[in-house]
Amino acid sequence: MNQTNSQFENHRWSENLLMKIYKEKDHGSAYVAQRLADVISEKQKAGKKAILGMATGSTPKGVYRELIRLHRDEGLSFKNVHTFNLDEYYRMLPENVMSYNTFMKEHLFDHIDIPAENTNIINGDLELEEIENHCAEFEKKIYDLGGIDIQLLGIGRSGHIGFNEPGSATDSRTRLVNLCEITRNDAISDFNGLENVPTQAITMGVRTILDAKEIIMIAWGNKKSEIVQKTFTGEISADVPATYLLTHPKVEVILDHESSAFCNKMLPM
Ligand code: PGA
């Protein structure tokens, strides 16, 4: 059923996928933060751990800002939370300012009461021969904790989720991958030149992501409108790994007016 509110429109895209289009991305971010907070509180009440899959990049920054506010102003505790990040650049020291380890500390972990030992981010500073073991341990840790309750995702202009670039197999697991040209080009300004952008990364696999009980994918702005259209109007294919989300039983896609431009022509408002 489609619903309209002054802040957003809900579109039931398929039985498994709800698309929410926000007028303001801040409202979309606040909604996502509240969804995560609800999972955390619910688990807390049941005396259980909440297992969250985290994303980096510009997309989830507003969600993390709101989670920090909920912690500071509304007493949301993260003591029962365990996190697993999608990916890390290779090769990258965890303490490098450009690492996703640093990103997560700056944008979330340093501002909430999550125990440091509960945060899991892939180590991007391993020797090649150490990677396979590290990835297997990362996967096992997720499994041993009972799996990811809710996974946050952005989408790259290449169609990647995590760093699963075009060609990634649906049954792929956490592994070392090559970054595609679109992804590396999009990181030029962050790294001050293409020559400084890593060529590889270690990422959760497509199957690792799809194993999450629930997934929330977010895309903001004009820059993402073309790939969002391709993802939700094309065939499910390795050419656009984000299309694999259509095979998951419980997905929400959070868009703003710009990233959802194609919907204006397709959906009854
Ligand atoms: P961005 O990246 O949030 O910086 O746009 C998203 C992604 O590549 O998944």
Side-chain angles (χ1 to χ4, degrees), residues 55-60 86-87 100 153-158 160-163 183 186 190 218 220 223-224:
T56 47
S58 57
T59 306
L86 280 168
D87 44 27
Y100 286 155
L153 290 180
I155 180 173
R157 287 194 314 120
S158 63
H160 70 207
I161 46 174
F163 275 132
T183 298
D186 281 350
D190 291 339
I218 308 171
W220 308 132
K223 223 177 113 182
K224 298 288 170 73

Side-chain angles (χ1 to χ4, degrees), residues 8 22 87 121 140 151 195 207 218 226 254 260 266:
F8 64 88
Y22 280 83
D87 44 27
I121 307 185
K140 184 174 181 309
Q151 174 69 53
E195 65 282 10
R207 182 54 52 197
I218 308 171
E226 200 179 319
I254 313 297
S260 65
M266 291 181 57

